[in-house]
Amino acid sequence: MSRIVIALGGNALQANPKDTSAEAQLFTCKETAKPIVDLIEEGHEVIVAHGNGPQVGQIVATYEAANTIDDGKPVMPFPECGAMSEGYIGYHLQQAIREEMRARGIQRDVASIITQVVVDPNDPGFKNPTKPVGSFFSQEQAMKLQEEKGYVMKEDAGRGYRRVVASPAPIAVVEEKIIKTMVDAGHVVITVGGGGVPVIEKEDGTLEGVAAVIDKDLASEKLAELLDADELVILTAVEQIAINFNKPNQKNLASITLEEAHKYIEEGHFAPGSMLPKVKAAMQFAKSKMGRKSIVTSLNKAKDALQGKTGTVIIQ
């Protein structure tokens, strides 16, 4: 059987974007656990990664609401908010996966690891922050935050101003050895949640958290390489990658080579905020070592995709 890194998309955590309650997320995670445990039941080694965009945004907004910019109270630093989201999403997933395994008589342990991911302080992403986080502010409030806290604030589609942070590329996973030890021992591991907490490594070897968001698909790809996984499965809202998406001439793709993927990217077939990072992560893993395979598909089709029945396979 294969060692598989599964990167869960946002729909695997929040089926209804309008209901962001913890109760709704736990319910969704229990449904998400079923196709994951299907793969575990078949004997695969499964490592689970996930996004955290809405969740970390909620956490940041909650602290912003509780500590207004005028009362002098400190706002929770962004890296800590990321770690909080890793913790509570991981708790929901590990509880759901454990319950589903027990219901099927599978005796395996599952645990989440608060994961730190090293980034380069000179990454070009820090020079042009683009990821909006947290609450909306008036222009006056935004300018004050910019001046007093050093935030980068940008106007967001006429709804007000929001803080934006960088999205640097992942370099290394700090807890790599711990994760590998747990996977080798047969445990189900949930890790690099939300792309992991971004940290920079100082000259003395200490780590410092930075205000940034690492793309979860790129972090999952890096993890898959480090764990020498056989397959990277990126789960999203669609069953297959398509070109000419949502157009009369839409064409779903069962398999694409790296050369074809480059061509489609140059032709602008993949949206920067959605499918493009998934395709790039899939390409990176496929070219990292001969024999490695990336699959992009929907959550409920993961088992079929691994059997070659659906999904989009990216190969060298």
Side-chain angles (χ1 to χ4, degrees), residues 148-163:
E148 295 184 356
K149 297 186 179 294
Y151 292 173
V152 178
M153 307 293 292
K154 291 185 179 180
E155 200 274 334
D156 189 340
R159 297 178 293 176
Y161 285 77
R162 295 177 79 187
R163 182 185 181 188

Side-chain angles (χ1 to χ4, degrees), residues 58-74:
Q58 278 183 288
I59 293 168
V60 171
T62 298
Y63 274 104
E64 287 172 341
N67 303 280
T68 66
I69 62 173
D70 298 316
D71 64 13
K73 295 178 182 176

